[in-house]
Amino acid sequence: MDYGRVSVRKIVEFVLRRGDIDSRHTSNHTALEGARIHRKLQKAAGEAYQKEVSLKRQFTLENEDTLTIEGRADGIFTKDEQVVIDEIKTSEVYFENLPESQVELFYFQGMVYAYLYALEEGISEIGVQLTYYQTTEELITRNQRQFTMEELTAFMDHLLEEYHKWLVFQGDWRRVRNTSLTKLTFPYEEFRKGQRELAAAAYKTLKTSRRLFVEAPTGTGKTISTLFPALKAMGEESADRLFYLTAKTITRQVAEDALAALGKTGGEVKSVTLTAKDKICFLTERNCTPEHCPYAAGYYDRINEGLWDLLHHENQITRSVIEAYSEKHQLCPFEFSLDVSLFCDVIVGDYNYLFDPTVYLRRFFEDPKEDYFFLVDEAHNLVSRSREMYSATLNQRTGATFEQQLGKEHKALRRLLRKIDNHFALLEEQAQTEKWQFKHQKLLPEALINQLYRFAEKMKEWLAANPGDPAEATGLSYYFEVLHFLKISELYDDHFETTIEVGYQGTKIKLFCIAPAPFLEGMLEKGKGALLFSASFSPLDYYQDVLGGGGEALRYKLPSPFPPARQKIILANYIQTTYQQRQASLPEVVSGVYEMVKAKQGNYLVFFPSYQYLDEVAALFHDLHPEVTTLIQDTQMNEAEREQFLARFKENPQETLLGFCVLGGIFSEGIDLKGSRLIGTAVVGVGLPQMNHEQELIKEYFQETRKQGFEYAYQLPGMNKVLQAAGRVIRDATDYGVVLLLDQRFNTPRYRKLFPAHWQHARIAYNPQQLQIELQTFWQQQKADD
């Protein structure tokens, strides 16, 4: 079998990498900067120096398998009548501070080039020179080693033998996978209403390499209806790999369940679920250095053995599986999950693994060599998440704290930190003179950014030379903040504004991305086809616009699969919850919520646009109706507290329970309280985001570019929160319940036009008596139907 081509760097790094994970040794140099330095050194070497020499050879392995190794040698020259291969490397770290394993890896790459060249030219001995360029002080270190052809042949035989077994494994698995997927059947007895149509649309979209924006209401079964056709298409060699991306842990669990169901019907795929580094880290306090973490120390000495073990025993690689094998082989669980992802057909994880410019999976997306399908679940969340990903904040206080912790002997670094601090001091002085606390501008703060680049280079050098320094933890935190700021500055264009905020928590400079759509589109283009879907995705043209769908994307909207008669939508047209009317309407809001819970014993949720409003209503409700058991969402709830909150919503409750929650919070979407665990939800207000400087910038931008500033900044994001909260009620075909919309604005044309099709039967209550009658009528009808 012909296994195609592999680069010199890839085969060497995979087979021969050794040593530790160390967060201090990650270079912040771009490929462009590295190439510039390479050209500088190559030019200085003189005319006899051959630069960027292409070398390639096909090797015959066991069983007549073939593999082509190729690459470009940085330089080839002759010294003292001997040919020398030059391997150029650049970094901020001093050469003497480089780990020995890193230096050896550099030589290994040069040795492969030396073998390829010597074989081609019939040379019996050849030299390999490592040219190392330390960037901050422009120091050049050159070391040379000599090799005989016998030594290089033994080296290459070992390299090829080790790599071949992985090629055989991958080739065998690919055949098993494709054979199983071509025979894959839908894992349930029958399709739900809308599932077959969605699966067909998804399949056609991916097969024709298009993008599809889908609104599929709760109950459609979006996950299985997109995964099933995507895997079928992948089995037909339409793609090499599938990424299932979502914002929340609970939706990743749904994807895992769907993959497990497909596995039971014969679908042989290897999948991995990626968990955030902070969540999966075994340490109480994450510190990715070999001195502090036994799972980082010697990681690359053990990784391939761990991978081989895992891949030969597991197909569905969930968080618990990763943790078990990480403990077994003493491996960092986060890095282990990333390394195993290279061998997986399906990768389940957060949006940031594709879209975030700082943490996206470079191993897949830096220079794609494969075809990918992207499935983006609950894609409405990507609007706000992507603004966060493409924005960056620099806090004056963090840098000042690091400077205070630094010892006086680190003069150069302290000097750079003071220069950065001086920029903030000038801004604070300007703010005081001109009497402002917030300012925005189109221009990028170039002078500050130049100082930050100098600091980043010096900091890289400092981290390598001062492991375990008392200021290391604070310094690392600030260093990563600076690196992210610099990364975003490289993307800065007319979709950004620079904001400056002076306050009691220190001065902050933010590169605020107002419209990240072009960047999202650029990442979506790295895939062959994409499906973006959500239960609340209206209007679809708005989401296509703000999520980088491009003009050629397709749109598809499915009706609700559930009978409309099982859900009662009631608009309380007599309640005003605008900020000016909020206090006056408190008794009416409490009365409306009480009418909902009084009409039938059961579990209910009520959602508010802010914690302050929630607290005011909850306090008054408790005073007036102390007999009703209530729960209140806290501002900071960990995973255990969240689970405890949801566990209170039991099947067939013996008393009424009312939960007070916030719109857009952890309980307003993604939770699945089926049957009698939840029979009613009230939404107070139309969910408008709180007015602030950034929302106003969004409004101004889209007013100027789309003439829809208020809609894009406030109305549409707010209405999505309302739809998500209301969607907690009907989760299954046998569910029934009520949704109260407590704000007269819902009955205006501006909002009625945004109602989904299954809300068109909504009833209007013009006073508390009508609300009471509507609720009683609905529950009487449900009792009669039962």
Side-chain angles (χ1 to χ4, degrees):
M1 178 177 177
D2 182 12
Y3 285 103
R5 301 178 178 187
V6 64
S7 70
V8 170
R9 181 169 183 168
K10 182 178 178 180
I11 187 173
V12 167
E13 288 188 348
F14 179 75
V15 175
L16 300 174
R17 55 188 171 174
R18 297 291 183 270
D20 312 319
I21 293 172
D22 196 332
S23 57
R24 298 165 302 194
H25 293 160
T26 304
S27 178
N28 60 304
H29 272 288
T30 64
L32 196 64
E33 177 70 6
R36 184 190 66 77
I37 295 171
H38 273 57
R39 289 194 298 272
K40 174 183 175 181
L41 294 173
Q42 289 164 339
K43 185 177 181 180
E47 293 183 5
Y49 183 95
Q50 301 177 64
K51 60 185 179 182
E52 302 298 326
V53 180
S54 293
L55 296 169
K56 179 172 69 173
R57 187 174 185 85
Q58 186 181 73
F59 292 87
T60 300
L61 311 172
E62 292 181 24
N63 305 320
E64 301 303 311
D65 292 340
T66 56
L67 173 69
T68 299
I69 299 179
E70 61 184 4
R72 287 177 180 270
D74 293 325
I76 301 177
F77 63 94
T78 302
K79 182 179 181 181
D80 298 330
E81 298 185 354
Q82 185 181 54
V83 175
V84 179
I85 302 294
D86 194 19
E87 182 69 17
I88 301 173
K89 298 297 179 184
T90 68
S91 179
E92 303 89 341
V93 182
Y94 285 112
F95 181 78
E96 55 269 25
N97 291 330
L98 287 172
E100 183 181 351
S101 58
Q102 184 67 69
V103 174
E104 290 303 305
L105 200 64
F106 293 159
Y107 272 111
F108 291 151
Q109 290 182 44
M111 288 167 68
V112 176
Y113 289 122
Y115 178 82
L116 295 175
Y117 188 80
L119 200 62
E120 188 176 290
E121 299 296 325
I123 299 172
S124 59
E125 289 192 19
I126 192 168
V128 174
Q129 175 175 281
L130 173 59
T131 300
Y132 183 77
Y133 185 92
Q134 195 275 334
T135 56
T136 55
E137 296 188 29
E138 301 184 348
L139 300 175
I140 300 173
T141 304
R142 290 187 173 93
N143 288 321
Q144 189 171 319
R145 296 179 184 177
Q146 305 300 122
F147 297 96
T148 64
M149 197 55 186
E150 289 77 13
E151 290 171 326
L152 292 175
T153 299
F155 167 77
M156 285 299 296
D157 286 347
H158 169 71
L159 185 68
L160 290 167
E161 181 182 355
E162 284 297 306
Y163 196 65
H164 182 234
K165 71 177 187 180
W166 292 93
L167 292 175
V168 171
F169 167 76
Q170 286 182 291
D172 290 346
W173 175 254
R174 179 87 170 211
R175 286 188 291 273
V176 169
R177 183 199 78 179
N178 289 351
T179 301
S180 74
L181 292 182
T182 54
K183 300 175 182 178
L184 187 64
T185 58
F186 195 69
Y188 304 112
E189 290 184 8
E190 58 183 26
F191 287 90
R192 289 183 191 173
K193 181 181 177 182
Q195 276 190 324
R196 187 185 297 276
E197 294 82 356
L198 175 54
Y203 179 79
K204 290 175 184 176
T205 298
L206 297 176
K207 288 292 286 185
T208 55
S209 304
R210 305 284 295 276
R211 284 179 215 155
L212 177 67
F213 285 71
V214 180
E215 182 175 76
T218 300
T220 306
K222 299 181 292 296
T223 303
I224 198 69
S225 302
T226 52
L227 266 175
F228 171 64
L231 292 176
K232 290 287 285 185
M234 192 163 69
E236 295 163 2
E237 296 284 1
S238 292
D240 300 290
R241 210 181 302 267
L242 164 67
F243 291 84
Y244 192 98
L245 305 163
T246 184
K248 298 182 183 296
T249 303
I250 193 164
T251 39
R252 289 196 279 279
Q253 179 63 55
V254 173
E256 290 178 353
D257 293 344
L259 288 165
L262 289 163
K264 290 177 182 177
T265 63
E268 295 267 6
V269 293
K270 289 194 181 294
S271 66
V272 62
T273 301
L274 302 180
T275 305
K277 187 183 290 188
D278 284 331
K279 287 186 177 180
I280 203 171
C281 180
F282 289 145
L283 303 186
T284 306
E285 185 176 339
R286 179 165 63 86
N287 188 331
C288 304
T289 57
E291 295 88 355
H292 293 91
C293 179
Y295 303 96
Y299 174 86
Y300 294 111
D301 301 334
R302 302 183 296 273
I303 177 58
N304 283 7
E305 181 183 348
L307 286 172
W308 192 259
D309 184 16
L310 174 59
L311 290 167
H312 280 77
H313 293 94
E314 308 288 345
N315 280 359
Q316 192 169 8
I317 304 167
T318 60
R319 174 177 176 172
S320 60
V321 172
I322 284 288
E323 289 174 335
Y325 280 82
S326 296
E327 288 280 20
K328 179 180 178 181
H329 293 277
Q330 199 77 354
L331 296 167
C332 165
F334 179 71
E335 291 295 333
F336 189 29
S337 66
L338 293 184
D339 283 331
V340 79
S341 70
L342 289 166
F343 298 89
C344 289
D345 312 297
V346 180
I347 298 170
V348 180
D350 190 89
Y351 299 146
N352 60 11
Y353 294 115
L354 171 61
F355 296 111
D356 192 302
T358 304
V359 301
Y360 74 97
L361 298 176
R362 284 171 172 76
R363 62 192 71 201
F364 296 111
F365 306 129
E366 195 93 296
D367 184 21
K369 297 289 196 303
E370 299 178 314
D371 290 324
Y372 306 133
F373 287 154
F374 300 139
L375 274 58
V376 185
D377 194 2
E378 301 294 349
H380 65 276
N381 285 305
L382 190 55
V383 180
S384 58
R385 280 289 305 278
S386 60
R387 282 200 181 101
E388 294 170 10
M389 291 175 191
Y390 286 90
S391 299
T393 301
L394 194 68
N395 193 325
Q396 176 267 341
R397 184 166 293 181
T398 314
T401 302
F402 178 41
E403 184 186 352
Q404 290 168 7
Q405 293 180 3
L406 266 178
K408 292 183 178 180
E409 67 274 17
H410 304 298
K411 294 179 181 178
L413 194 57
R414 288 170 63 90
R415 189 161 51 247
L416 286 169
L417 284 164
R418 279 195 295 273
K419 287 182 178 180
I420 294 169
D421 196 58
N422 288 340
H423 284 275
F424 285 97
L426 287 171
L427 288 171
E428 290 165 0
E429 186 180 320
Q430 182 185 0
Q432 191 171 14
T433 303
E434 299 175 2
K435 294 182 169 46
W436 53 263
Q437 289 184 302
F438 179 87
K439 180 182 178 181
H440 65 94
Q441 63 186 43
K442 290 284 186 185
L443 294 175
L444 193 64
E446 296 282 3
L448 172 62
I449 286 167
N450 290 337
Q451 291 294 343
L452 293 175
Y453 272 115
R454 295 187 185 98
F455 164 78
E457 288 194 342
K458 193 66 181 176
M459 186 65 185
K460 181 74 176 181
E461 171 192 317
W462 183 88
L463 285 167
N466 298 276
D469 189 279
E472 182 181 61
T474 305
L476 267 175
S477 177
Y478 185 60
Y479 177 55
F480 291 140
E481 189 176 301
V482 167
L483 290 183
H484 181 58
F485 196 88
L486 291 173
K487 177 63 179 178
I488 297 302
S489 74
E490 294 169 2
L491 302 173
Y492 196 94
D493 60 13
D494 58 4
H495 298 90
F496 289 81
E497 287 263 356
T498 297
T499 68
I500 304 158
E501 188 172 1
V502 179
Y504 68 93
Q505 292 185 329
T507 300
K508 298 176 184 177
I509 299 178
K510 184 172 185 177
L511 309 181
F512 178 48
C513 186
I514 299 171
F519 308 115
L520 299 179
E521 184 169 8
M523 296 310 294
L524 287 172
E525 285 174 353
K526 294 183 181 293
K528 187 176 181 182
L531 308 174
L532 295 91
F533 47 94
S534 173
S536 55
F537 222 29
S538 289
L540 278 169
D541 57 349
Y542 158 73
Y543 285 102
Q544 183 177 340
D545 184 14
V546 297
L547 294 179
E552 299 300 314
L554 305 171
R555 300 197 292 263
Y556 187 47
K557 183 177 289 192
L558 285 163
S560 172
F562 304 137
R566 299 188 72 84
Q567 184 177 50
K568 186 79 165 183
I569 311 290
I570 309 174
L571 281 65
N573 198 57
Y574 59 93
I575 295 178
Q576 298 182 39
T577 70
T578 58
Y579 191 76
Q580 293 80 1
Q581 299 295 323
R582 191 163 289 179
Q583 291 300 314
S585 66
L586 283 178
E588 291 178 318
V589 171
V590 169
S591 174
V593 173
Y594 181 65
E595 288 298 335
M596 175 178 72
V597 302
K598 185 180 70 170
K600 181 178 172 59
Q601 178 178 292
N603 296 326
Y604 298 87
L605 290 172
V606 55
F607 292 93
F608 297 85
S610 70
Y611 280 102
Q612 181 181 345
Y613 197 6
L614 181 158
D615 290 339
E616 290 173 348
V617 175
L620 183 58
F621 188 94
H622 183 266
D623 289 344
L624 296 176
H625 309 288
E627 75 281 5
V628 179
T629 303
T630 59
L631 288 176
I632 296 178
Q633 178 184 345
D634 197 4
T635 53
Q636 298 290 332
M637 297 181 80
N638 58 35
E639 202 163 325
E641 290 168 335
R642 173 177 172 267
E643 293 302 322
Q644 289 169 9
F645 185 99
L646 293 175
R648 295 284 299 276
F649 291 79
K650 301 182 183 299
E651 284 279 357
N652 304 313
Q654 299 305 303
E655 63 174 3
T656 290
L657 177 66
L658 175 62
F660 287 81
C661 304
V662 290
L663 280 169
I666 54 176
F667 300 119
S668 67
E669 60 178 282
I671 64 169
D672 203 23
L673 299 174
K674 293 181 179 179
S676 59
R677 292 188 69 194
L678 185 69
I679 62 170
T681 286
V683 180
V684 182
V686 293
L688 298 181
Q690 290 189 345
M691 187 179 293
N692 57 43
H693 294 302
E694 290 185 356
Q695 288 301 129
E696 286 297 289
L697 287 176
I698 296 169
K699 177 183 173 182
E700 291 170 13
Y701 176 89
F702 284 108
Q703 185 61 32
E704 182 180 337
T705 59
R706 309 289 194 279
K707 306 302 180 188
Q708 290 182 286
F710 177 76
E711 291 87 339
Y712 274 51
Y714 292 101
Q715 184 190 8
L716 296 176
M719 191 60 187
N720 190 279
K721 293 179 184 177
V722 171
L723 293 169
Q724 282 291 324
R728 297 315 95 208
V729 180
I730 303 295
R731 310 296 299 172
D732 199 271
T734 59
D735 288 2
Y736 50 79
V738 297
V739 173
L740 299 191
L741 304 175
L742 302 182
D743 193 308
Q744 63 180 200
R745 284 174 289 183
F746 284 116
N747 199 32
T748 63
R750 179 189 285 271
Y751 283 93
R752 288 299 292 257
K753 70 180 182 180
L754 298 176
F755 280 17
H758 58 284
W759 279 24
Q760 296 307 315
H761 67 291
R763 303 285 293 179
I764 303 171
Y766 292 96
N767 53 58
Q769 293 74 31
Q770 281 188 311
L771 175 60
Q772 185 181 62
I773 292 168
E774 291 289 350
L775 288 164
Q776 289 174 349
T777 302
F778 174 74
W779 290 119
Q780 287 169 2
Q781 184 61 53
Q782 295 306 314
K783 187 175 182 180
D785 291 344
D786 290 345

